[in-house]
Every structure is written in structure tokens, then in C-alpha cells.
Amino acid sequence: MSENGNQKRILLIATGGTIATKMTKDGLVPQMTSQEILECIPEIANICEVHTIQLFNLDSTNICHVQWIQVAKCIQSHYTQYEGFVVTHGTDTMAYIAAALSYMIQESPKPIVITGSQKSIYRKETDGRVNLLNAFYYAISPYASGVHIVFDGKAILGTRARKTRTKSYNAFSSIDYPETAWIRDGRVIPITEENYVDRVPKFYLNLNPSVFVLKLIPGISADIFSYLKEKYDAVIIESFGVGGIPSYGNQDFFQAIGDWIQSGKFLIMATQVPHEGSDMEVYQVGYAIKERYHLVESYDMTLEAVVAKTMW
């Protein structure tokens, strides 16, 4: 985009999402190309040299492990040609791809920045232009490396991000971990240091999507494990509070979990509470089964990170 040899070269990888939508008779649909998105922030020419790739154009509801692998492969194939990467993506599953890329591309000295918007960049009152511009500011920053979401003036570590608001511009929160940086008027203000400058990136391009998240509700039956065992290799249990398995006056859940583990399948205990994580040793309902089966806990990991890491 620029002929200034002193500018950093950044690759924009467009995948669709709200930022690329236009209105149709059936609602908003991603339609804008990567070049059209870029044309909405002409001032970028003064910041860095940008090349674009339209990898696909999907609502993020329709993006899963298949597309995550495509993005990782795209970054790997262009890694030596660019000094940073910006991925535009829908917000609904953005935290999942951020976590997945964090495990698939480890210790990257070059920044991999994911951004999007709550309103189309095509609209006048959008947050898309600021978010995209901030993503590029962060991508060229000497403080940036690894995988981050940049949204509403904040940089959030890929394994700590969660969408916590459906409509507001401050859609993402950093869960139980400080934000990495703030971006204000083109300035990147570092908060925590995630620096892989002297590292060589490690790429992992295989994922096993056979993972199920089971959210416990009061009165749930242990029979669900019989069904899950036929279709999934791993189950993540979102338990109550700090973590526990209900008994309801019988040992059905204990026996079902024991059978699951003995069959060679993987089980992780998580919590459905948003903050502060699990600790199964606090209460008898958690301690007893953890001791018996040496269960793996996710502690303060986000659910998105647990899902992505289990697939990885």
C-alpha cells in the first residue's frame, strides 16, 4: 500500500464478521472484501505498508476449527514476508479463534492481532474504523508479540479474552488477567509484557474437534455420558461454583465419570462462574471425586481457552 521502505509490512487477513457486513433483506451478511475494508481507513498509509488476503467471508457463527487451521496456515506461509498480522473476524467466536491461534502459533515474536466491530465498518457510526486502526497501531508496536485481541482501545491476551457484552462497543473483557496494553490516539501504552522477541515460533496445525462442553444444571442426569461417549473424545464439565459433582443420593455421576476415564477418554473440570476459577479441593463434592480419579482442572482459564487447548 505504501512505497515507504521504512514502514513495517503488515498482512491483513479478512475472514468476514460484522465489520465486513452489509444489510440484505435477511439481515446483515459479510460481503465487503479485505480491500474495501482497508479503504475505510485511508490514514493507514501513513502508518505501515499493508497487503491484504481475503481468506473467506463468513459470519463468525459459521467459523470453527476448519477455518482456524486455514488462518494458522495462512500466517505460517506468509510469516517471513511480514512483520505482523491483523485478522478481521466476527465478535461472536473471536475469543475462540484468539485462544486457538495462541496454542497453534506459540512464542511468535511477531504480533498476530485479531479485531472486528460491533457495527459494520460500512456504517457511519461504526466502531470498526477505530478498532482496525488500533489493531495496526498495535501490530507495529515494539511492545507487541504473540496473539492478542485489540478492541475498544484495549489489547487482550488471546487466552484471556471473552466477549462479555452483545451490543456495546466495549464487548471484550480480559478475564482474571491484566490487559496487555491500551491504545490511545495512536499511542500504545503497555500494561504487561508478553515479549517473544528472541523466540522462534512453533506452529501446530492439527486440531481434534471432538470436544463437548457439558454445563451442569440442578437435577441433570448422568445418563448423558452414555450418549457423549459414542461421539466425543473429551468432555469439559462446567460445574457449579469452585467445582463439584452432584450425587443426588446415588453414585451415578461418579460411576459415569469413572467409566468415561477408564475408556481412555479425556475429562476436564471447569466452572461456569466467570471469575476466579475452580478449586475442587474446597468442598467434599469436588475433593472426593478429584482424589479418586485425579481429574484435570482448568482453574482460572477461560472456557474458550480450555476448549481450544483441549482440541490442540
Side-chain angles (χ1 to χ4, degrees), residues 254-304:
F254 278 59
Q255 292 170 3
I257 287 174
D259 179 62
W260 179 274
I261 293 171
Q262 289 164 11
S263 69
K265 294 180 180 290
F266 201 54
L267 185 143
I268 305 105
M269 290 294 300
T271 174
Q272 52 194 259
V273 180
H275 294 281
E276 299 180 349
S278 66
D279 186 352
M280 294 183 68
E281 297 184 6
V282 172
Y283 295 101
Q284 187 271 339
V285 290
Y287 181 82
I289 194 165
K290 183 174 182 179
E291 282 293 296
R292 182 183 299 184
Y293 296 118
H294 304 289
L295 297 182
V296 175
E297 277 191 80
S298 65
Y299 297 104
D300 67 346
M301 293 176 67
T302 66
L303 177 65
E304 294 86 348

Side-chain angles (χ1 to χ4, degrees), residues 43-57:
E43 59 267 47
I44 199 68
N46 301 318
I47 298 172
C48 55
E49 178 182 346
V50 184
H51 296 177
T52 68
I53 289 179
Q54 185 73 52
L55 202 56
F56 40 84
N57 213 348

Side-chain angles (χ1 to χ4, degrees), residues 96 162 211-222 224-225 228 234-241 244-246 248 253 268-274 303 307:
Y96 284 97
R162 172 171 289 172
V211 176
F212 187 84
V213 177
L214 175 63
K215 184 170 186 174
L216 298 187
I217 61 171
I220 189 172
S221 171
I224 186 67
F225 283 92
L228 295 177
V235 63
I236 300 163
I237 298 179
E238 274 197 297
S239 188
F240 309 115
I245 295 297
Y248 302 128
F253 260 99
I268 305 105
M269 290 294 300
T271 174
Q272 52 194 259
V273 180
L303 177 65
V307 169

Side-chain angles (χ1 to χ4, degrees), residues 138 142-143 145 148 157 177 179-181 190-197:
Y138 191 68
Y143 306 109
S145 61
H148 291 80
L157 195 64
Y177 192 81
E179 294 152 0
T180 303
I191 306 300
T192 60
E193 185 174 354
E194 296 288 339
N195 197 321
Y196 300 116
V197 171

Side-chain angles (χ1 to χ4, degrees), residues 121-286:
I121 202 169
Y122 187 70
R123 295 178 61 171
K124 182 178 180 180
E125 71 284 13
T126 182
D127 56 330
R129 284 188 286 274
V130 171
N131 285 345
L132 187 56
L133 199 56
N134 283 343
F136 281 108
Y137 277 124
Y138 191 68
I140 64 173
S141 166
Y143 306 109
S145 61
V147 179
H148 291 80
I149 284 178
V150 167
F151 213 95
D152 191 42
K154 301 175 290 188
I156 301 173
L157 195 64
T159 53
R160 288 292 178 174
R162 172 171 289 172
K163 186 175 182 181
T164 53
R165 295 173 181 84
T166 59
K167 299 177 182 178
S168 302
Y169 286 169
N170 58 333
F172 286 87
S173 300
S174 184
I175 304 300
D176 293 341
Y177 192 81
E179 294 152 0
T180 303
W182 297 334
I183 304 97
R184 299 287 187 272
D185 299 320
R187 293 178 58 240
V188 174
I189 306 165
I191 306 300
T192 60
E193 185 174 354
E194 296 288 339
N195 197 321
Y196 300 116
V197 171
D198 298 323
R199 306 291 182 87
V200 176
K202 302 180 180 69
F203 286 86
Y204 302 88
L205 301 178
N206 295 312
L207 294 173
N208 180 356
S210 185
V211 176
F212 187 84
V213 177
L214 175 63
K215 184 170 186 174
L216 298 187
I217 61 171
I220 189 172
S221 171
D223 293 343
I224 186 67
F225 283 92
S226 298
Y227 172 80
L228 295 177
K229 193 160 65 170
E230 297 179 3
K231 299 182 179 294
Y232 295 95
D233 295 329
V235 63
I236 300 163
I237 298 179
E238 274 197 297
S239 188
F240 309 115
V242 291
I245 295 297
S247 62
Y248 302 128
N250 55 54
Q251 294 291 305
D252 290 353
F253 260 99
F254 278 59
Q255 292 170 3
I257 287 174
D259 179 62
W260 179 274
I261 293 171
Q262 289 164 11
S263 69
K265 294 180 180 290
F266 201 54
L267 185 143
I268 305 105
M269 290 294 300
T271 174
Q272 52 194 259
V273 180
H275 294 281
E276 299 180 349
S278 66
D279 186 352
M280 294 183 68
E281 297 184 6
V282 172
Y283 295 101
Q284 187 271 339
V285 290

Side-chain angles (χ1 to χ4, degrees), residues 17-36:
T18 296
I19 195 170
T21 56
K22 289 185 179 180
M23 182 58 72
T24 72
K25 63 180 179 62
D26 298 318
L28 292 169
V29 176
Q31 292 183 334
M32 296 179 68
T33 66
S34 57
Q35 193 59 45
E36 287 176 319

